[in-house]
Amino acid sequence: MFQDLQEIDVSAIDELAAVKEEQEVLEERLKKLEEEREHVSAAVYARVEADYRERLDALEEKARPLKETARGEYTKLRRLSERMTGVVEKARLDQEEAELRHKLGELDEDAFKERLDGCRQELEARQAELGEVEEVMRRFGDAFRSEDELLGQSSPSAVLEAETLEIPAPPANAVVETGARTMVLPRSAPPPEVPGATVVLQMPRLVAHHEEGTTDYRLGTAPLVIGRAEDADIRFPIPSVSRHHARVSPGPDGFVVTDLGSGNGTRINGELLTGNHALRDGDTIQVGTELVTFHSG
């Protein structure tokens, strides 16, 4: 997995960081300019303001393709982080298992020491690798104004195209395309009064992570069960996952995840789940040693 980290292209974020610094300087000058408005002629004020805003527009134009490149690399980086988190958790469980088997008398002192040393070395190595991944993720975050901008959540390109729908009221996060502009409608918004408008729905999904890659599962009105059993909607046929381990189901305010009495419990972003958890974009669901990520759109 360390090789995967080396393949992440970070050149765009170095350029973006420089652009961001220039933008912040110009924005600070615009603030100071506003303070001087009453002390200079209107013509000079307008001339300087127009210059600064034109330079800001040019910087934003320069940043646009860099941001798209960086977002693509960051998506790969997030997937790597999720995989590494699972590997670290597996190493931790291996160490815990060795300690338990020793307490039960299965491992003598020599065998236990050898096994424990191996587990600790593996855990430390994987934690160090995860730390490197998180440091690169921090660099990506520093190159953007906000996490939302980095994730591209305000970009209309992040939604899925759909056919024209006749609905009484669009659901939360529906996007209405009018041809001239795009409008994002909040929950319970009235239907758009735009002739020929197309409603584009942001489709939430679960992404299951495997050693060989990932698999997407679209979420709808029916709940999805994660487990080891053959009738599970998202199946992980390994011992650490219970037959019916956890369930993701729709609720009035979004999707929630519930543990189904599993043997090893369900973790959300590393924390043991108790009761229901309302899922947010990017939440990681851990069942046994396996990971599933929730994406809201």
Side-chain angles (χ1 to χ4, degrees):
M1 291 189 184
F2 183 72
Q3 179 64 33
D4 293 338
L5 179 59
Q6 292 180 319
E7 293 174 357
I8 299 295
D9 183 3
V10 298
S11 60
I13 63 172
D14 293 332
E15 294 184 65
L16 274 175
V19 170
K20 178 184 174 185
E21 184 176 352
E22 291 184 61
Q23 289 174 321
E24 289 174 345
V25 169
L26 288 171
E27 288 166 354
E28 183 61 29
R29 288 176 182 171
L30 279 170
K31 290 180 182 179
K32 292 180 179 179
L33 176 64
E34 181 62 28
E35 296 172 1
E36 298 295 326
R37 177 191 284 267
E38 297 179 359
H39 307 295
V40 299
S41 65
V44 170
Y45 178 90
R47 185 187 304 170
V48 175
E49 182 188 36
D51 174 51
Y52 286 167
R53 295 200 180 280
E54 183 177 349
R55 288 156 68 179
L56 278 172
D57 289 343
L59 286 170
E60 186 59 36
E61 188 67 24
K62 179 181 178 180
R64 187 172 293 112
L66 296 173
K67 288 177 180 179
E68 290 304 313
T69 299
R71 288 185 185 114
E73 294 301 305
Y74 188 71
T75 297
K76 294 190 286 186
L77 193 60
R78 287 182 70 189
R79 290 172 181 167
L80 178 59
S81 173
E82 290 162 356
R83 287 162 55 199
M84 285 302 305
T85 299
V87 170
V88 168
E89 180 62 14
K90 181 179 182 301
R92 188 192 67 77
L93 293 174
D94 288 345
Q95 179 175 321
E96 183 180 333
E97 180 182 344
E99 293 169 347
L100 176 60
R101 291 182 183 275
H102 175 58
K103 288 180 180 179
L104 297 175
E106 179 180 340
L107 300 175
D108 60 28
E109 288 298 329
D110 291 339
F112 172 60
K113 184 179 183 304
E114 179 180 357
R115 186 164 174 177
L116 186 61
D117 287 345
C119 289
R120 285 175 174 170
Q121 291 174 13
E122 175 70 10
L123 181 58
E124 289 174 2
R126 301 291 81 80
Q127 286 176 329
E129 290 179 353
L130 179 59
E132 292 186 38
V133 171
E134 291 174 342
E135 173 59 23
V136 177
M137 293 180 73
R138 183 195 63 77
R139 290 178 59 194
F140 272 83
D142 289 345
F144 283 78
R145 299 299 188 93
S146 66
E147 184 179 7
D148 285 347
E149 184 188 35
L150 173 56
L151 297 176
Q153 293 183 345
S154 60
S155 172
S157 63
V159 301
L160 300 173
E161 294 294 337
E163 297 179 356
T164 302
L165 302 177
E166 295 294 335
I167 54 176
N173 300 324
V175 176
V176 179
E177 293 187 346
T178 66
R181 58 180 178 148
T182 299
M183 299 179 291
V184 179
L185 301 180
R187 184 179 299 277
S188 301
E193 296 182 0
V194 182
T198 298
V199 177
V200 183
L201 302 181
Q202 291 179 318
M203 301 296 289
R205 70 190 192 279
L206 296 174
V207 179
H209 299 267
H210 314 280
E211 290 186 3
E212 62 275 12
T214 60
T215 305
D216 283 21
Y217 298 85
R218 293 291 171 190
L219 289 166
T221 57
L224 290 185
V225 173
I226 307 170
R228 190 180 74 246
E230 291 189 4
D231 62 349
D233 299 294
I234 302 177
R235 186 168 181 254
F236 293 106
I238 60 173
S240 65
V241 177
S242 298
R243 287 179 52 77
H244 299 110
H245 200 112
R247 179 180 62 239
V248 176
S249 53
D253 297 312
F255 287 86
V256 297
V257 59
T258 307
D259 183 78
L260 299 177
S262 64
N264 291 325
T266 300
R267 293 180 180 271
I268 304 297
N269 304 322
E271 298 294 327
L272 189 64
L273 174 64
T274 57
N276 296 331
H277 172 81
L279 288 167
R280 295 177 296 179
D281 187 62
D283 277 353
T284 298
I285 306 168
Q286 181 177 335
V287 293
T289 58
E290 304 305 306
L291 296 176
V292 177
T293 307
F294 173 75
H295 294 284
S296 59

